[in-house]
């Protein structure tokens, strides 16, 4: 369990229990798009409220399964900003249904799923623990179903435009984040060859001490694969993204 996934799970559960005991919380902190000008806090607070047990159970299960690997990949600080941005993106697109009262973390959770699919597109997800579906197929299905239900005006009590807003915000956020990182790498002054070799050797030694037993199984496999590549071809054979990933796993990123 990664730090921010754990905090988000705990916060959502605590707020859910409070809202059961004090139902007025939902009235005060739920999102009504048309009222956003005089209730701006609801852009964030709505994503910590849920309408029922199955609602919060589904969202927290999705966060539990998809969130930790994405947080490890992005780093904790980037992950929490990504999560909140997806939730706000869901709120913004909810203006398509201006009079609806909207609660739930689904917009942020859908963003987490699309982030997972971006980095592990062929990873198999088992629906109901039985049906294997690649992450990219699941993400495409979620986009198409949200579009269809939203524009068809499905009367099922689900905020489909909030889902779609989270998906779109997540995709845009990750694209912008990756471009910023690429620009930082491109603008980094070149090191003298001797200094570069020393830095690479130090990095390789640091990566070899990554506490693999604490990593998610698939992240552990990715670390092993990149270490094999670095050992065989040298640290300079790794791309900037691969080096950044290993740095995060070692606690240096």
């Amino acid at each position: 369990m990664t730090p921010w996934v754990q905090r988000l799970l705990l916060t959502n559960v605590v707020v859910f229990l409070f809202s059961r005991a004090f139902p007025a919380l939902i009235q005060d902190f739920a999102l009504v798009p048309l009222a956003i000008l005089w209730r701006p806090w609801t852009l964030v607070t709505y994503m910590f409220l849920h309408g029922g047990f199955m609602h919060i159970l589904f969202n927290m299960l999705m966060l539990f399964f998809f969130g930790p690997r994405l947080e490890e990949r992005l780093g904790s600080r980037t992950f929490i900003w990504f999560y909140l941005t997806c939730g706000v993106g869901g709120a913004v697109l909810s203006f398509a249904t201006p009079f609806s009262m909207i609660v739930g973390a689904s917009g942020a959770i859908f963003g987490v799923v699309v982030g997972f699919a971006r980095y592990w597109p062929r990873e198999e997800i088992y629906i109901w623990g039985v049906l294997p579906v690649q992450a990219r197929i699941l993400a495409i299905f979620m986009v198409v179903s949200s579009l269809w239900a939203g524009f068809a005006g499905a009367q099922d009590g689900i905020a489909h435009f909030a889902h779609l807003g989270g998906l779109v915000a997540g995709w845009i956020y990750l694209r912008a984040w990756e471009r910023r990182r690429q620009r930082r790498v491109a603008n980094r002054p070149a090191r003298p060859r001797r200094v570069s070799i020393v830095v690479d050797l130090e990095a390789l030694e640091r990566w070899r001490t990554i506490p693999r037993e604490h990593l998610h199984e698939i992240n552990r496999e990715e670390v092993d694969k990149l270490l094999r590549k670095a050992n065989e071809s040298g640290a300079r054979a790794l791309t900037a993204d691969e080096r950044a990933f290993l740095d995060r796993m070692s606690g240096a990123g």
Side-chain angles (χ1 to χ4, degrees):
M1 184 73 68
T2 49
W4 273 110
V5 168
Q6 187 173 20
R7 292 168 191 151
L8 288 168
L9 287 170
L10 180 61
T11 301
N12 276 278
V13 170
V14 169
V15 172
F16 176 73
L17 294 175
F18 264 84
S19 69
R20 297 295 94 183
F22 306 100
L25 282 175
I26 293 181
Q27 297 293 327
D28 293 336
F29 296 100
L31 172 70
V32 179
L34 201 62
I36 200 65
L37 289 179
W38 55 90
R39 291 161 52 94
W41 59 88
T42 59
L43 279 169
V44 174
T45 57
Y46 90 99
M47 68 180 85
F48 294 96
L49 298 168
H50 289 86
F53 177 74
M54 293 307 296
H55 189 196
I56 189 172
L57 177 64
F58 177 78
N59 280 338
M60 294 304 100
L61 281 175
M62 297 275 278
L63 178 61
F64 176 79
F65 285 118
F66 295 106
R69 282 181 61 192
L70 189 61
E71 183 175 348
E72 286 184 344
R73 177 77 185 227
L74 300 179
S76 291
R77 184 174 63 177
T78 300
F79 175 80
I80 187 57
W81 281 111
F82 168 78
Y83 182 91
L84 295 174
T85 298
C86 292
V88 172
V92 170
L93 211 59
S94 295
F95 275 87
T97 55
F99 298 100
S100 301
M101 178 178 286
I102 299 168
V103 296
S106 301
I109 300 300
F110 273 48
V112 169
V113 174
V114 83
F116 185 97
R118 182 174 180 85
Y119 295 114
W120 299 280
R122 298 182 185 277
E123 183 74 18
E124 286 194 338
I125 311 300
Y126 285 85
I127 308 299
W128 300 300
V130 178
L131 180 65
V133 178
Q134 288 187 354
R136 58 179 179 172
I137 303 301
L138 178 62
I140 291 170
F141 172 78
M142 292 168 72
V143 171
V144 172
S145 62
S146 294
L147 278 170
W148 180 84
F151 286 105
Q155 301 298 311
D156 52 8
I158 298 174
H160 294 287
F161 282 107
H163 296 177
L164 188 60
L167 289 164
V168 172
W171 185 264
I172 293 173
Y173 185 101
L174 291 178
R175 288 277 293 176
W177 178 71
E178 289 166 0
R179 287 180 178 177
R180 285 198 305 270
R181 292 181 62 215
Q182 289 169 359
R183 285 198 298 269
R184 285 200 298 268
V185 171
N187 294 332
R188 188 178 299 164
R191 298 188 183 98
R193 179 173 174 79
R194 183 175 298 176
V195 174
S196 179
I197 292 173
V198 171
V199 170
D200 287 345
L201 288 174
E202 290 175 350
L204 192 53
E205 286 301 315
R206 184 174 67 252
W207 298 334
R208 286 171 178 159
T209 64
I210 291 173
R212 298 171 61 263
E213 65 277 6
H214 299 310
L215 299 179
H216 188 284
E217 179 182 351
I218 298 178
N219 281 329
R220 187 163 59 244
E221 291 175 359
E222 191 166 354
V223 165
D224 290 342
K225 181 186 72 174
L226 294 179
L227 282 177
R228 282 195 299 272
K229 180 179 176 181
N231 286 328
E232 292 169 2
S233 306
R236 300 178 70 186
L238 300 178
T239 67
D241 280 342
E242 290 170 341
R243 294 176 69 102
F245 172 76
L246 288 173
D247 282 340
R248 284 193 295 276
M249 295 302 102
S250 69

